[in-house]
Amino acid sequence: MKPIDIWLLVYPGFVLLDATGPAQVFATANDEARDAGLPPPYRINTIAMVGGAVASTAGVALQAAPLPPPAALAGATLLVSGGRGLEDGSS
């Protein structure tokens, strides 16, 4: 079975826990599947408008790939991290 793509969108000034919390949930599900002798059900992808290091409000940066083409997102799960940059449109 092909893993489900999880696309985690970050932007400058995102809240670190809003990105790493969901990523850890899916990573733990992958660990549990492996422990049961199953393939990992999720493929976690961190993305941003442009690729590279993206700094959170905590000053910790995550390495992100550039946005994929829209067709790559078809049938996938897209999670958008929270933060002030999202609310005020400055990102």
Side-chain angles (χ1 to χ4, degrees), residues 10-66:
V10 296
Y11 50 86
F14 72 95
V15 174
L16 186 61
L17 186 58
D18 286 358
T20 59
Q24 186 58 57
V25 168
F26 290 106
T28 298
N30 283 343
D31 291 342
E32 293 292 323
R34 281 188 202 97
D35 289 348
L38 301 170
Y42 302 105
R43 184 172 36 227
I44 305 162
N45 307 281
T46 305
I47 56 174
M49 290 297 290
V50 294
V54 181
S56 69
T57 57
V60 176
L62 294 183
Q63 189 68 26

mmCIF file of all heavy atoms in Angstrom, residues 10-66:
data_model
loop_
_atom_site.group_PDB
_atom_site.id
_atom_site.type_symbol
_atom_site.label_atom_id
_atom_site.label_comp_id
_atom_site.label_asym_id
_atom_site.label_seq_id
_atom_site.Cartn_x
_atom_site.Cartn_y
_atom_site.Cartn_z
ATOM 1 N N VAL A 10 4.802 25.435 6.218
ATOM 2 C CA VAL A 10 5.330 26.404 7.185
ATOM 3 C C VAL A 10 5.679 27.701 6.449
ATOM 4 O O VAL A 10 5.812 27.714 5.226
ATOM 5 C CB VAL A 10 6.574 25.856 7.928
ATOM 6 C CG1 VAL A 10 6.213 24.649 8.769
ATOM 7 C CG2 VAL A 10 7.702 25.510 6.968
ATOM 8 N N TYR A 11 5.803 28.769 7.195
ATOM 9 C CA TYR A 11 6.096 30.092 6.639
ATOM 10 C C TYR A 11 6.837 30.865 7.711
ATOM 11 O O TYR A 11 6.797 30.489 8.899
ATOM 12 C CB TYR A 11 4.793 30.808 6.234
ATOM 13 C CG TYR A 11 3.777 30.782 7.332
ATOM 14 C CD1 TYR A 11 3.774 31.754 8.329
ATOM 15 C CD2 TYR A 11 2.865 29.747 7.425
ATOM 16 C CE1 TYR A 11 2.878 31.700 9.375
ATOM 17 C CE2 TYR A 11 1.969 29.687 8.465
ATOM 18 C CZ TYR A 11 1.977 30.668 9.439
ATOM 19 O OH TYR A 11 1.102 30.599 10.482
ATOM 20 N N PRO A 12 7.534 31.939 7.373
ATOM 21 C CA PRO A 12 8.274 32.699 8.381
ATOM 22 C C PRO A 12 7.348 33.150 9.517
ATOM 23 O O PRO A 12 6.277 33.700 9.287
ATOM 24 C CB PRO A 12 8.812 33.903 7.606
ATOM 25 C CG PRO A 12 8.900 33.413 6.189
ATOM 26 C CD PRO A 12 7.717 32.490 6.026
ATOM 27 N N GLY A 13 7.746 32.838 10.735
ATOM 28 C CA GLY A 13 6.961 33.211 11.907
ATOM 29 C C GLY A 13 5.892 32.192 12.279
ATOM 30 O O GLY A 13 4.989 32.509 13.050
ATOM 31 N N PHE A 14 5.996 30.953 11.778
ATOM 32 C CA PHE A 14 5.032 29.924 12.169
ATOM 33 C C PHE A 14 5.272 29.517 13.624
ATOM 34 O O PHE A 14 6.348 29.725 14.167
ATOM 35 C CB PHE A 14 5.108 28.709 11.234
ATOM 36 C CG PHE A 14 6.345 27.861 11.416
ATOM 37 C CD1 PHE A 14 6.327 26.751 12.232
ATOM 38 C CD2 PHE A 14 7.526 28.183 10.757
ATOM 39 C CE1 PHE A 14 7.465 25.964 12.401
ATOM 40 C CE2 PHE A 14 8.664 27.408 10.906
ATOM 41 C CZ PHE A 14 8.638 26.298 11.734
ATOM 42 N N VAL A 15 4.256 28.946 14.259
ATOM 43 C CA VAL A 15 4.384 28.455 15.632
ATOM 44 C C VAL A 15 4.988 27.050 15.573
ATOM 45 O O VAL A 15 4.422 26.154 14.941
ATOM 46 C CB VAL A 15 3.015 28.448 16.345
ATOM 47 C CG1 VAL A 15 3.123 27.811 17.723
ATOM 48 C CG2 VAL A 15 2.476 29.873 16.465
ATOM 49 N N LEU A 16 6.114 26.884 16.208
ATOM 50 C CA LEU A 16 6.874 25.639 16.125
ATOM 51 C C LEU A 16 6.034 24.417 16.495
ATOM 52 O O LEU A 16 6.043 23.411 15.785
ATOM 53 C CB LEU A 16 8.111 25.728 17.016
ATOM 54 C CG LEU A 16 9.091 24.572 16.947
ATOM 55 C CD1 LEU A 16 9.657 24.417 15.550
ATOM 56 C CD2 LEU A 16 10.214 24.790 17.949
ATOM 57 N N LEU A 17 5.281 24.485 17.571
ATOM 58 C CA LEU A 17 4.482 23.343 18.005
ATOM 59 C C LEU A 17 3.397 23.000 16.989
ATOM 60 O O LEU A 17 3.031 21.831 16.838
ATOM 61 C CB LEU A 17 3.849 23.615 19.376
ATOM 62 C CG LEU A 17 3.104 22.451 20.016
ATOM 63 C CD1 LEU A 17 4.016 21.246 20.194
ATOM 64 C CD2 LEU A 17 2.510 22.871 21.346
ATOM 65 N N ASP A 18 2.885 23.992 16.281
ATOM 66 C CA ASP A 18 1.854 23.734 15.269
ATOM 67 C C ASP A 18 2.393 22.937 14.090
ATOM 68 O O ASP A 18 1.625 22.315 13.354
ATOM 69 C CB ASP A 18 1.254 25.042 14.747
ATOM 70 C CG ASP A 18 0.314 25.687 15.745
ATOM 71 O OD1 ASP A 18 0.095 25.113 16.832
ATOM 72 O OD2 ASP A 18 -0.212 26.766 15.438
ATOM 73 N N ALA A 19 3.686 22.949 13.895
ATOM 74 C CA ALA A 19 4.299 22.161 12.827
ATOM 75 C C ALA A 19 4.839 20.835 13.372
ATOM 76 O O ALA A 19 4.577 19.782 12.807
ATOM 77 C CB ALA A 19 5.424 22.949 12.161
ATOM 78 N N THR A 20 5.575 20.902 14.474
ATOM 79 C CA THR A 20 6.232 19.694 14.973
ATOM 80 C C THR A 20 5.282 18.754 15.693
ATOM 81 O O THR A 20 5.500 17.543 15.681
ATOM 82 C CB THR A 20 7.410 20.052 15.898
ATOM 83 O OG1 THR A 20 6.929 20.835 16.995
ATOM 84 C CG2 THR A 20 8.479 20.815 15.125
ATOM 85 N N GLY A 21 4.217 19.280 16.299
ATOM 86 C CA GLY A 21 3.250 18.409 16.976
ATOM 87 C C GLY A 21 2.588 17.447 16.006
ATOM 88 O O GLY A 21 2.661 16.216 16.193
ATOM 89 N N PRO A 22 1.932 17.948 14.955
ATOM 90 C CA PRO A 22 1.333 17.037 13.980
ATOM 91 C C PRO A 22 2.370 16.130 13.303
ATOM 92 O O PRO A 22 2.098 14.951 13.064
ATOM 93 C CB PRO A 22 0.688 17.970 12.957
ATOM 94 C CG PRO A 22 0.404 19.219 13.726
ATOM 95 C CD PRO A 22 1.551 19.341 14.691
ATOM 96 N N ALA A 23 3.558 16.662 13.024
ATOM 97 C CA ALA A 23 4.592 15.824 12.398
ATOM 98 C C ALA A 23 4.932 14.649 13.302
ATOM 99 O O ALA A 23 5.089 13.514 12.832
ATOM 100 C CB ALA A 23 5.837 16.650 12.093
ATOM 101 N N GLN A 24 5.019 14.899 14.605
ATOM 102 C CA GLN A 24 5.343 13.823 15.538
ATOM 103 C C GLN A 24 4.228 12.785 15.627
ATOM 104 O O GLN A 24 4.482 11.588 15.749
ATOM 105 C CB GLN A 24 5.642 14.380 16.927
ATOM 106 C CG GLN A 24 6.127 13.321 17.899
ATOM 107 C CD GLN A 24 7.390 12.619 17.410
ATOM 108 O OE1 GLN A 24 8.397 13.258 17.149
ATOM 109 N NE2 GLN A 24 7.338 11.296 17.255
ATOM 110 N N VAL A 25 2.978 13.231 15.565
ATOM 111 C CA VAL A 25 1.856 12.282 15.597
ATOM 112 C C VAL A 25 1.956 11.300 14.428
ATOM 113 O O VAL A 25 1.826 10.079 14.614
ATOM 114 C CB VAL A 25 0.506 13.035 15.573
ATOM 115 C CG1 VAL A 25 -0.650 12.079 15.320
ATOM 116 C CG2 VAL A 25 0.295 13.794 16.875
ATOM 117 N N PHE A 26 2.197 11.807 13.232
ATOM 118 C CA PHE A 26 2.314 10.924 12.069
ATOM 119 C C PHE A 26 3.580 10.074 12.136
ATOM 120 O O PHE A 26 3.575 8.908 11.723
ATOM 121 C CB PHE A 26 2.245 11.728 10.773
ATOM 122 C CG PHE A 26 0.876 12.291 10.510
ATOM 123 C CD1 PHE A 26 0.619 13.637 10.674
ATOM 124 C CD2 PHE A 26 -0.168 11.464 10.125
ATOM 125 C CE1 PHE A 26 -0.646 14.160 10.450
ATOM 126 C CE2 PHE A 26 -1.442 11.967 9.899
ATOM 127 C CZ PHE A 26 -1.674 13.324 10.062
ATOM 128 N N ALA A 27 4.673 10.632 12.656
ATOM 129 C CA ALA A 27 5.908 9.864 12.805
ATOM 130 C C ALA A 27 5.717 8.722 13.801
ATOM 131 O O ALA A 27 6.214 7.603 13.589
ATOM 132 C CB ALA A 27 7.046 10.781 13.251
ATOM 133 N N THR A 28 4.988 8.977 14.876
ATOM 134 C CA THR A 28 4.714 7.923 15.859
ATOM 135 C C THR A 28 3.834 6.833 15.247
ATOM 136 O O THR A 28 4.050 5.641 15.491
ATOM 137 C CB THR A 28 4.058 8.518 17.119
ATOM 138 O OG1 THR A 28 4.970 9.455 17.714
ATOM 139 C CG2 THR A 28 3.717 7.437 18.134
ATOM 140 N N ALA A 29 2.853 7.228 14.443
ATOM 141 C CA ALA A 29 2.026 6.230 13.749
ATOM 142 C C ALA A 29 2.898 5.360 12.839
ATOM 143 O O ALA A 29 2.700 4.142 12.756
ATOM 144 C CB ALA A 29 0.927 6.918 12.953
ATOM 145 N N ASN A 30 3.873 5.981 12.169
ATOM 146 C CA ASN A 30 4.809 5.215 11.332
ATOM 147 C C ASN A 30 5.618 4.233 12.180
ATOM 148 O O ASN A 30 5.825 3.081 11.788
ATOM 149 C CB ASN A 30 5.737 6.146 10.566
ATOM 150 C CG ASN A 30 5.072 6.800 9.376
ATOM 151 O OD1 ASN A 30 4.027 6.361 8.902
ATOM 152 N ND2 ASN A 30 5.676 7.864 8.888
ATOM 153 N N ASP A 31 6.089 4.691 13.344
ATOM 154 C CA ASP A 31 6.855 3.822 14.246
ATOM 155 C C ASP A 31 6.021 2.632 14.708
ATOM 156 O O ASP A 31 6.501 1.496 14.743
ATOM 157 C CB ASP A 31 7.345 4.604 15.470
ATOM 158 C CG ASP A 31 8.410 5.637 15.136
ATOM 159 O OD1 ASP A 31 9.035 5.542 14.059
ATOM 160 O OD2 ASP A 31 8.606 6.547 15.967
ATOM 161 N N GLU A 32 4.768 2.886 15.063
ATOM 162 C CA GLU A 32 3.878 1.812 15.524
ATOM 163 C C GLU A 32 3.637 0.795 14.403
ATOM 164 O O GLU A 32 3.610 -0.410 14.657
ATOM 165 C CB GLU A 32 2.548 2.390 16.016
ATOM 166 C CG GLU A 32 2.671 3.224 17.278
ATOM 167 C CD GLU A 32 3.050 2.410 18.495
ATOM 168 O OE1 GLU A 32 2.592 1.256 18.624
ATOM 169 O OE2 GLU A 32 3.814 2.940 19.322
ATOM 170 N N ALA A 33 3.466 1.284 13.186
ATOM 171 C CA ALA A 33 3.276 0.373 12.056
ATOM 172 C C ALA A 33 4.514 -0.490 11.854
ATOM 173 O O ALA A 33 4.405 -1.711 11.670
ATOM 174 C CB ALA A 33 2.953 1.167 10.788
ATOM 175 N N ARG A 34 5.690 0.145 11.884
ATOM 176 C CA ARG A 34 6.940 -0.627 11.715
ATOM 177 C C ARG A 34 7.071 -1.690 12.804
ATOM 178 O O ARG A 34 7.487 -2.818 12.544
ATOM 179 C CB ARG A 34 8.143 0.315 11.742
ATOM 180 C CG ARG A 34 8.379 1.053 10.460
ATOM 181 C CD ARG A 34 9.716 1.814 10.509
ATOM 182 N NE ARG A 34 9.698 2.884 9.559
ATOM 183 C CZ ARG A 34 9.416 4.159 9.827
ATOM 184 N NH1 ARG A 34 9.140 4.546 11.053
ATOM 185 N NH2 ARG A 34 9.415 5.072 8.872
ATOM 186 N N ASP A 35 6.736 -1.304 14.058
ATOM 187 C CA ASP A 35 6.834 -2.261 15.169
ATOM 188 C C ASP A 35 5.897 -3.447 14.959
ATOM 189 O O ASP A 35 6.164 -4.542 15.450
ATOM 190 C CB ASP A 35 6.497 -1.572 16.499
ATOM 191 C CG ASP A 35 7.577 -0.595 16.942
ATOM 192 O OD1 ASP A 35 8.679 -0.596 16.364
ATOM 193 O OD2 ASP A 35 7.297 0.193 17.880
ATOM 194 N N ALA A 36 4.799 -3.235 14.248
ATOM 195 C CA ALA A 36 3.839 -4.304 13.963
ATOM 196 C C ALA A 36 4.193 -5.056 12.684
ATOM 197 O O ALA A 36 3.433 -5.916 12.231
ATOM 198 C CB ALA A 36 2.432 -3.716 13.857
ATOM 199 N N GLY A 37 5.342 -4.723 12.085
ATOM 200 C CA GLY A 37 5.774 -5.407 10.871
ATOM 201 C C GLY A 37 5.093 -4.904 9.616
ATOM 202 O O GLY A 37 5.097 -5.579 8.591
ATOM 203 N N LEU A 38 4.514 -3.722 9.686
ATOM 204 C CA LEU A 38 3.812 -3.128 8.548
ATOM 205 C C LEU A 38 4.627 -1.982 7.962
ATOM 206 O O LEU A 38 5.448 -1.377 8.662
ATOM 207 C CB LEU A 38 2.445 -2.602 9.001
ATOM 208 C CG LEU A 38 1.505 -3.644 9.606
ATOM 209 C CD1 LEU A 38 0.304 -2.949 10.236
ATOM 210 C CD2 LEU A 38 1.076 -4.645 8.549
ATOM 211 N N PRO A 39 4.381 -1.642 6.709
ATOM 212 C CA PRO A 39 5.069 -0.477 6.143
ATOM 213 C C PRO A 39 4.512 0.809 6.763
ATOM 214 O O PRO A 39 3.357 0.846 7.207
ATOM 215 C CB PRO A 39 4.747 -0.547 4.657
ATOM 216 C CG PRO A 39 3.498 -1.347 4.570
ATOM 217 C CD PRO A 39 3.510 -2.301 5.734
ATOM 218 N N PRO A 40 5.315 1.857 6.810
ATOM 219 C CA PRO A 40 4.825 3.118 7.364
ATOM 220 C C PRO A 40 3.673 3.667 6.517
ATOM 221 O O PRO A 40 3.782 3.730 5.297
ATOM 222 C CB PRO A 40 6.036 4.049 7.335
ATOM 223 C CG PRO A 40 7.049 3.379 6.500
ATOM 224 C CD PRO A 40 6.699 1.935 6.381
ATOM 225 N N PRO A 41 2.562 4.059 7.145
ATOM 226 C CA PRO A 41 1.406 4.527 6.386
ATOM 227 C C PRO A 41 1.491 5.976 5.914
ATOM 228 O O PRO A 41 0.697 6.389 5.071
ATOM 229 C CB PRO A 41 0.244 4.348 7.365
ATOM 230 C CG PRO A 41 0.866 4.425 8.715
ATOM 231 C CD PRO A 41 2.255 3.887 8.555
ATOM 232 N N TYR A 42 2.435 6.740 6.447
ATOM 233 C CA TYR A 42 2.499 8.167 6.123
ATOM 234 C C TYR A 42 3.882 8.566 5.618
ATOM 235 O O TYR A 42 4.905 8.054 6.073
ATOM 236 C CB TYR A 42 2.162 9.027 7.347
ATOM 237 C CG TYR A 42 0.806 8.729 7.899
ATOM 238 C CD1 TYR A 42 0.652 7.990 9.066
ATOM 239 C CD2 TYR A 42 -0.337 9.161 7.234
ATOM 240 C CE1 TYR A 42 -0.604 7.698 9.561
ATOM 241 C CE2 TYR A 42 -1.598 8.872 7.726
ATOM 242 C CZ TYR A 42 -1.726 8.140 8.890
ATOM 243 O OH TYR A 42 -2.977 7.846 9.368
ATOM 244 N N ARG A 43 3.894 9.517 4.690
ATOM 245 C CA ARG A 43 5.132 10.155 4.218
ATOM 246 C C ARG A 43 4.978 11.640 4.557
ATOM 247 O O ARG A 43 4.092 12.317 4.024
ATOM 248 C CB ARG A 43 5.320 9.924 2.726
ATOM 249 C CG ARG A 43 6.626 10.471 2.195
ATOM 250 C CD ARG A 43 6.912 10.083 0.756
ATOM 251 N NE ARG A 43 5.712 10.026 -0.062
ATOM 252 C CZ ARG A 43 5.412 9.027 -0.891
ATOM 253 N NH1 ARG A 43 6.220 8.007 -1.024
ATOM 254 N NH2 ARG A 43 4.316 9.064 -1.618
ATOM 255 N N ILE A 44 5.820 12.140 5.453
ATOM 256 C CA ILE A 44 5.708 13.509 5.964
ATOM 257 C C ILE A 44 6.622 14.419 5.161
ATOM 258 O O ILE A 44 7.819 14.165 5.028
ATOM 259 C CB ILE A 44 6.087 13.553 7.457
ATOM 260 C CG1 ILE A 44 5.241 12.548 8.244
ATOM 261 C CG2 ILE A 44 5.922 14.968 8.004
ATOM 262 C CD1 ILE A 44 5.805 12.187 9.597
ATOM 263 N N ASN A 45 6.039 15.484 4.610
ATOM 264 C CA ASN A 45 6.773 16.444 3.784
ATOM 265 C C ASN A 45 6.587 17.836 4.369
ATOM 266 O O ASN A 45 5.456 18.283 4.566
ATOM 267 C CB ASN A 45 6.206 16.461 2.356
ATOM 268 C CG ASN A 45 6.156 15.088 1.735
ATOM 269 O OD1 ASN A 45 7.158 14.588 1.276
ATOM 270 N ND2 ASN A 45 4.986 14.467 1.734
ATOM 271 N N THR A 46 7.672 18.532 4.647
ATOM 272 C CA THR A 46 7.593 19.916 5.113
ATOM 273 C C THR A 46 7.848 20.814 3.910
ATOM 274 O O THR A 46 8.856 20.660 3.212
ATOM 275 C CB THR A 46 8.628 20.193 6.224
ATOM 276 O OG1 THR A 46 8.425 19.240 7.273
ATOM 277 C CG2 THR A 46 8.484 21.593 6.772
ATOM 278 N N ILE A 47 6.919 21.743 3.661
ATOM 279 C CA ILE A 47 6.997 22.597 2.482
ATOM 280 C C ILE A 47 6.819 24.062 2.863
ATOM 281 O O ILE A 47 6.261 24.379 3.911
ATOM 282 C CB ILE A 47 5.953 22.196 1.411
ATOM 283 C CG1 ILE A 47 4.529 22.217 1.991
ATOM 284 C CG2 ILE A 47 6.290 20.836 0.822
ATOM 285 C CD1 ILE A 47 3.423 21.972 0.977
ATOM 286 N N ALA A 48 7.296 24.945 1.993
ATOM 287 C CA ALA A 48 7.164 26.391 2.167
ATOM 288 C C ALA A 48 7.085 27.020 0.781
ATOM 289 O O ALA A 48 7.312 26.354 -0.233
ATOM 290 C CB ALA A 48 8.358 26.946 2.932
ATOM 291 N N MET A 49 6.758 28.294 0.742
ATOM 292 C CA MET A 49 6.649 28.991 -0.541
ATOM 293 C C MET A 49 7.909 28.796 -1.370
ATOM 294 O O MET A 49 7.837 28.543 -2.563
ATOM 295 C CB MET A 49 6.373 30.482 -0.339
ATOM 296 C CG MET A 49 4.987 30.773 0.196
ATOM 297 S SD MET A 49 3.668 30.271 -0.915
ATOM 298 C CE MET A 49 3.864 31.442 -2.232
ATOM 299 N N VAL A 50 9.045 28.957 -0.748
ATOM 300 C CA VAL A 50 10.325 28.641 -1.389
ATOM 301 C C VAL A 50 11.053 27.672 -0.466
ATOM 302 O O VAL A 50 10.832 27.682 0.735
ATOM 303 C CB VAL A 50 11.185 29.903 -1.646
ATOM 304 C CG1 VAL A 50 10.522 30.802 -2.666
ATOM 305 C CG2 VAL A 50 11.451 30.652 -0.376
ATOM 306 N N GLY A 51 11.870 26.832 -0.997
ATOM 307 C CA GLY A 51 12.584 25.873 -0.165
ATOM 308 C C GLY A 51 13.639 26.531 0.695
ATOM 309 O O GLY A 51 14.000 27.679 0.497
ATOM 310 N N GLY A 52 14.098 25.794 1.686
ATOM 311 C CA GLY A 52 15.158 26.277 2.548
ATOM 312 C C GLY A 52 14.723 26.325 3.995
ATOM 313 O O GLY A 52 13.665 25.836 4.370
ATOM 314 N N ALA A 53 15.573 26.934 4.810
ATOM 315 C CA ALA A 53 15.291 27.047 6.241
ATOM 316 C C ALA A 53 14.209 28.103 6.465
ATOM 317 O O ALA A 53 14.287 29.205 5.926
ATOM 318 C CB ALA A 53 16.558 27.412 6.995
ATOM 319 N N VAL A 54 13.196 27.760 7.273
ATOM 320 C CA VAL A 54 12.105 28.677 7.591
ATOM 321 C C VAL A 54 12.070 28.815 9.105
ATOM 322 O O VAL A 54 11.906 27.824 9.826
ATOM 323 C CB VAL A 54 10.753 28.154 7.059
ATOM 324 C CG1 VAL A 54 9.638 29.139 7.374
ATOM 325 C CG2 VAL A 54 10.827 27.880 5.564
ATOM 326 N N ALA A 55 12.222 30.052 9.604
ATOM 327 C CA ALA A 55 12.304 30.305 11.042
ATOM 328 C C ALA A 55 10.925 30.403 11.679
ATOM 329 O O ALA A 55 10.021 31.048 11.151
ATOM 330 C CB ALA A 55 13.084 31.585 11.304
ATOM 331 N N SER A 56 10.798 29.758 12.832
ATOM 332 C CA SER A 56 9.573 29.826 13.622
ATOM 333 C C SER A 56 9.651 31.021 14.575
ATOM 334 O O SER A 56 10.685 31.675 14.690
ATOM 335 C CB SER A 56 9.413 28.535 14.437
ATOM 336 O OG SER A 56 10.405 28.486 15.460
ATOM 337 N N THR A 57 8.550 31.265 15.296
ATOM 338 C CA THR A 57 8.549 32.342 16.290
ATOM 339 C C THR A 57 9.516 32.043 17.421
ATOM 340 O O THR A 57 9.989 32.958 18.092
ATOM 341 C CB THR A 57 7.139 32.558 16.874
ATOM 342 O OG1 THR A 57 6.673 31.330 17.428
ATOM 343 C CG2 THR A 57 6.176 33.059 15.823
ATOM 344 N N ALA A 58 9.831 30.760 17.642
ATOM 345 C CA ALA A 58 10.765 30.364 18.694
ATOM 346 C C ALA A 58 12.219 30.513 18.253
ATOM 347 O O ALA A 58 13.131 30.274 19.038
ATOM 348 C CB ALA A 58 10.494 28.923 19.118
ATOM 349 N N GLY A 59 12.435 30.876 16.988
ATOM 350 C CA GLY A 59 13.786 31.023 16.474
ATOM 351 C C GLY A 59 14.374 29.729 15.933
ATOM 352 O O GLY A 59 15.481 29.716 15.425
ATOM 353 N N VAL A 60 13.635 28.643 16.043
ATOM 354 C CA VAL A 60 14.075 27.354 15.496
ATOM 355 C C VAL A 60 13.584 27.279 14.057
ATOM 356 O O VAL A 60 12.419 27.557 13.773
ATOM 357 C CB VAL A 60 13.504 26.175 16.315
ATOM 358 C CG1 VAL A 60 13.879 24.844 15.692
ATOM 359 C CG2 VAL A 60 13.965 26.268 17.759
ATOM 360 N N ALA A 61 14.472 26.920 13.162
ATOM 361 C CA ALA A 61 14.114 26.835 11.748
ATOM 362 C C ALA A 61 13.928 25.383 11.331
ATOM 363 O O ALA A 61 14.622 24.494 11.829
ATOM 364 C CB ALA A 61 15.189 27.486 10.891
ATOM 365 N N LEU A 62 12.988 25.168 10.444
ATOM 366 C CA LEU A 62 12.798 23.861 9.824
ATOM 367 C C LEU A 62 13.224 23.955 8.370
ATOM 368 O O LEU A 62 13.009 24.970 7.716
ATOM 369 C CB LEU A 62 11.324 23.433 9.882
ATOM 370 C CG LEU A 62 10.721 23.148 11.246
ATOM 371 C CD1 LEU A 62 9.279 22.669 11.085
ATOM 372 C CD2 LEU A 62 11.538 22.120 12.009
ATOM 373 N N GLN A 63 13.819 22.884 7.885
ATOM 374 C CA GLN A 63 14.199 22.800 6.478
ATOM 375 C C GLN A 63 12.967 22.382 5.684
ATOM 376 O O GLN A 63 12.329 21.384 6.014
ATOM 377 C CB GLN A 63 15.328 21.779 6.294
ATOM 378 C CG GLN A 63 15.941 21.767 4.939
ATOM 379 C CD GLN A 63 16.711 23.030 4.626
ATOM 380 O OE1 GLN A 63 17.198 23.728 5.498
ATOM 381 N NE2 GLN A 63 16.817 23.341 3.356
ATOM 382 N N ALA A 64 12.615 23.152 4.678
ATOM 383 C CA ALA A 64 11.409 22.871 3.893
ATOM 384 C C ALA A 64 11.740 22.776 2.412
ATOM 385 O O ALA A 64 12.631 23.461 1.914
ATOM 386 C CB ALA A 64 10.373 23.977 4.121
ATOM 387 N N ALA A 65 10.982 21.946 1.733
ATOM 388 C CA ALA A 65 11.059 21.861 0.276
ATOM 389 C C ALA A 65 10.149 22.944 -0.307
ATOM 390 O O ALA A 65 9.222 23.404 0.361
ATOM 391 C CB ALA A 65 10.596 20.479 -0.181
ATOM 392 N N PRO A 66 10.388 23.360 -1.539
ATOM 393 C CA PRO A 66 9.479 24.331 -2.156
ATOM 394 C C PRO A 66 8.103 23.708 -2.407
ATOM 395 O O PRO A 66 7.967 22.486 -2.483
ATOM 396 C CB PRO A 66 10.161 24.709 -3.469
ATOM 397 C CG PRO A 66 11.169 23.651 -3.720
ATOM 398 C CD PRO A 66 11.496 22.994 -2.416
#
